[in-house]
Amino acid sequence: MVRYTKEHKQVTRQRIIEKAGQRFKQDGIDGSGISTLMSDAGLTNGAFYAHFASKDDLVAHVVTDELRTQITKYGTLRPGRPGLEDLIREYLSPGHRDHPGLGCPSAALLDEIGRCEEGTKQAYTDGARAIVEEISARLTPEDPGSARTKAIGLFTMMVGTLQLSRALSDRKFADEVLDQGIENALAFMS
């Protein structure tokens, strides 16, 4: 039996989490079986339980990782409101809409997360709270707490707009929804 180092095991675990995140956002949590997830990571099914207690355990780790990655990307934006405007325009873009596997886990997975076990819901709650705090800090850097309500509204507006645009078969209408979503979000920010 081959023994792997802790570092190798951690790298492999992270690869599973990253590949599962892409697959979940593309095909849904329920539409992604363990064998497919492990195949995406270049591993056998038997290796799964060396890294996770269950699929629910994996889902909670994926949600945590996806939201942490999303929040880390916010650090690359311009400071304050200009960076928030950049975020809105990028988030509500056709490119983001058309590539859910590479995008926001909220827009891709909210309905399924609502049906997940408590560990996944808690992981999502923690990540959503951090996103709202980031938006709040960009709205009013001198007093982020005062912008919390507006940040929640802006976050929900962005996620809902992206979900609606993804659900439409009429490309022109879907683009119109994104464009109007940008206008609404920017007006809401004021």
Side-chain angles (χ1 to χ4, degrees):
M1 184 168 163
V2 177
R3 295 299 239 171
Y4 292 105
T5 65
K6 267 187 160 176
E7 293 80 18
H8 180 270
K9 186 172 180 179
Q10 185 56 38
V11 167
T12 301
R13 177 183 171 90
Q14 188 59 38
R15 184 170 75 239
I16 296 167
I17 290 170
E18 289 170 5
K19 293 295 185 179
Q22 291 171 359
R23 176 66 68 172
F24 288 159
K25 291 184 296 182
Q26 186 66 45
D27 297 341
I29 295 167
D30 291 340
S32 304
I34 290 175
S35 64
T36 299
L37 298 171
M38 294 305 285
S39 176
D40 288 350
L43 300 165
T44 63
N45 292 358
F48 179 83
Y49 292 101
H51 298 279
F52 303 97
S54 64
K55 184 177 176 186
D56 291 323
D57 181 34
L58 171 62
V59 171
H61 281 88
V62 165
V63 167
T64 297
D65 186 71
E66 287 285 328
L67 292 171
R68 184 182 311 121
T69 299
Q70 187 175 359
I71 292 163
T72 300
K73 287 180 185 175
Y74 293 171
T76 65
L77 298 170
R78 295 183 293 165
R81 285 178 178 252
L84 188 53
E85 183 175 331
D86 295 343
L87 171 65
I88 291 166
R89 291 183 186 286
E90 181 182 324
Y91 191 92
L92 297 177
S93 69
H96 188 204
R97 177 199 55 214
D98 298 342
H99 301 285
L102 303 175
C104 172
S106 297
L109 299 173
L110 268 184
D111 60 332
E112 289 185 277
I113 290 171
R115 294 187 298 271
C116 285
E117 291 187 358
E118 192 58 35
T120 299
K121 287 181 182 180
Q122 187 60 54
Y124 185 78
T125 300
D126 294 343
R129 187 175 287 121
I131 289 170
V132 167
E133 289 170 5
E134 176 71 27
I135 293 170
S136 296
R138 288 178 178 280
L139 286 169
T140 55
E142 66 284 351
D143 184 16
S146 69
R148 182 175 169 75
T149 303
K150 189 173 269 197
I152 292 170
L154 191 55
F155 179 53
T156 59
M157 185 184 303
M158 291 167 53
V159 171
T161 299
L162 187 61
Q163 287 178 314
L164 176 59
S165 181
R166 283 181 177 165
L168 299 172
S169 64
D170 180 332
R171 182 77 165 196
K172 186 176 177 188
F173 184 28
D175 288 344
E176 186 179 1
V177 166
L178 289 179
D179 291 342
Q180 190 59 54
I182 291 169
E183 285 187 42
N184 292 347
L186 295 177
F188 189 75
M189 252 178 53
S190 308

